Amino acid sequence: MEFNFKKKFGQNFLKDSNVLNKIIEISNIDKESLIIEIGPGSGYLTRYLVKKGKVLSYEIDNDLKEILCNEFKDCENVEFIFDDFLKRNVKEDIKKYSYNKLYIVANLPYYITTPIINKLIEEKISIDKMVIMVQKEVGERFSAKPGNKDYSSITVFLNYYFDIKKEFVVSRNSFVPKPNVDSIVISFTKKKNKLLVNDENKFFKLIRDSFKYKRKTLKNNLNDYDFNIINKVLNQHNMSEDIRAEHIPIDIFIEISNNL
Ligand code: SAM
């Protein structure tokens, strides 16, 4: 393939069919699904995805247009949008599709992993399953447990919607060009029973505020809140008021939010 890889777009293309097969197996894509891919590159993963469902694939690099359009010219199962995924109105883009389930399957551009996840959460796109390859350290953050330094507001948001699983580590040798970091595939499966939050906006604000300053205690981060109520919940769980947000499990955050 004649192509000048662009570092600025995080272009490290997969070249390992074992990894691709495993991603597809884990995704376990239902018939009649729509699959969103962010960053098809030259279409290695896309080739596997089009066999499983309709694919809507966003690629920022116009230099890949010719390669992708040629490669998939006879394929009716894919639409490419050559644009910055972060600027798209995804809900609008997917409106014309009829599907039973929505999947996100992608080897993400690592430099914007968190903005992509934040966009999906903030825009409340109803995703049934997401299988993504990310930088190993970032994957640890998404799947961190309370008490771990990587446990953050994004972990809590993701845990609210999904059951999260670290699937497998992918060596840097599986890519061209070879990146400086290893990768991990993480799966996010929509929770069967939604957690019982009375007021989502209130809950989301509580999480954002609780983690605002990482070094501060919960009490200091939440000085605008009625801390007597919060303290009562903490005490019931044998937690002191000097606790930091990174030690609090999602169900206790929910209890606090529902009591406020
Ligand atoms: N999926 C391919 C594969 O596995 O071989 C390529 C993955 S590569 C890590 C990331 C891809 O995302 C690149 O093709 C890059 O051009 C594209 N990309 C980077 N920023 C993007 C953005 N903001 N919107 C859409 N695509 C983007």
Side-chain angles (χ1 to χ4, degrees), residues 80-115:
F80 292 106
I81 295 182
F82 292 93
D83 199 0
D84 180 349
F85 176 75
L86 295 177
K87 294 197 181 132
R88 298 298 301 189
N89 183 337
V90 179
K91 275 197 177 149
E92 216 30 65
D93 290 341
I94 61 180
K95 241 184 195 161
K96 65 178 177 205
Y97 289 95
S98 60
Y99 56 86
N100 290 337
K101 287 192 175 171
L102 182 64
Y103 289 72
I104 305 239
V105 185
N107 170 15
L108 291 183
Y110 294 176
Y111 73 107
I112 46 166
T113 302
T114 304

Side-chain angles (χ1 to χ4, degrees), residues 9-14 39-41 59-60 84-85 107 109 111-112:
F9 289 147
Q11 290 178 343
N12 300 97
F13 294 175
L14 257 172
E59 175 54 64
I60 198 171
D84 180 349
F85 176 75
N107 170 15
Y111 73 107
I112 46 166

